[in-house]
Amino acid sequence: MTTDTGTRPDPAPAPEGPPEEPAPQPAPRARRFWAVRRIPAALIALILLGGTGLLLYDVAAVRAGRTAMDWRRELADDLATRPLDDVLVLIGAGVAVLIGLWLLILAATPGLRAVLPMRRDHADVRAGLDRDAAALTLRDRAMEVSGVQSVRVRMKRRKVAVRAVSHFRELDEVRADVESVLGTGIDELGLARPPALTVRVGRPLKKR
């Protein structure tokens, strides 16, 4: 009778499955484009530069032993003696408040309403579509529908209003075809927030 005193071989390792694919990263959020607003910034900068430069020149002249300019003396005397409920004071304060609100609105709003942000499939790429170009593209798509004579498209950020004129076929059929074609067209634009679609179809006006 014999006994096996040798070591048994280790069991073969279990076959590994296919490597797990990394989870897809969520697409970055597409934000609206901010306007540079060069014209308002340039106007405010020129006004402030001219006012502060003139005031600093007058202050430096007074420090050098010269008399202050007449406009500054008259303005200081007028502000010191005029009551706060004076009409000119109230008008000036109202104008200053309106200008301040205008500047705050410009600073807090993105502007560039004519540029519609597109979906960001890549994190380092931002694209926008001109609103007029998008409306023209949808108009061309709607004109391909049978029975459509003319189309007017009003493109907004949240809504697309389409007014079509059909000279033959049933209006319900034309409307359904236009909605189907433009629904596909809006998806193909690649916008980050596809606008809602409203379609109206009518008959051409009869000539008298």
Side-chain angles (χ1 to χ4, degrees), residues 5 37 44 48 55-56 60 76 78 82-83 87 91 93 96-97 106 137-138 140 146 150 162 170 176 185 196 198:
T5 59
R37 295 190 173 97
I44 298 300
L48 293 178
L55 182 61
L56 287 176
D78 188 69
R82 188 180 296 273
V87 176
I91 292 175
V97 169
L106 291 180
T137 300
L138 296 180
D140 293 341
S146 176
S150 63
V162 179
E170 294 294 334
T198 302

Side-chain angles (χ1 to χ4, degrees), residues 114-126:
V115 179
L116 302 175
M118 303 178 67
R119 289 191 298 266
R120 297 187 63 182
D121 297 331
H122 302 280
D124 55 346
V125 177
R126 290 188 64 196

Side-chain angles (χ1 to χ4, degrees), residues 104-149:
L104 289 176
I105 292 174
L106 291 180
T109 55
L112 286 183
R113 299 179 63 87
V115 179
L116 302 175
M118 303 178 67
R119 289 191 298 266
R120 297 187 63 182
D121 297 331
H122 302 280
D124 55 346
V125 177
R126 290 188 64 196
L129 182 62
D130 184 76
R131 186 187 301 178
D132 294 337
L136 183 60
T137 300
L138 296 180
R139 176 187 174 277
D140 293 341
R141 295 289 295 270
M143 288 295 297
E144 297 176 357
V145 176
S146 176
V148 173
Q149 183 180 18

Side-chain angles (χ1 to χ4, degrees), residues 54-55 58-59 62 68-77:
L54 187 60
L55 182 61
D58 192 45
V59 171
V62 171
M69 293 183 180
D70 295 337
W71 66 268
R72 193 161 73 92
R73 291 201 306 267
E74 294 177 358
L75 180 61
D77 295 340

Side-chain angles (χ1 to χ4, degrees), residues 73-103:
R73 291 201 306 267
E74 294 177 358
L75 180 61
D77 295 340
D78 188 69
L79 292 177
T81 56
R82 188 180 296 273
L84 296 178
D85 57 352
D86 187 76
V87 176
L88 293 179
V89 175
L90 296 178
I91 292 175
V95 171
V97 169
L98 291 178
I99 293 176
L101 290 176
W102 177 58
L103 294 176

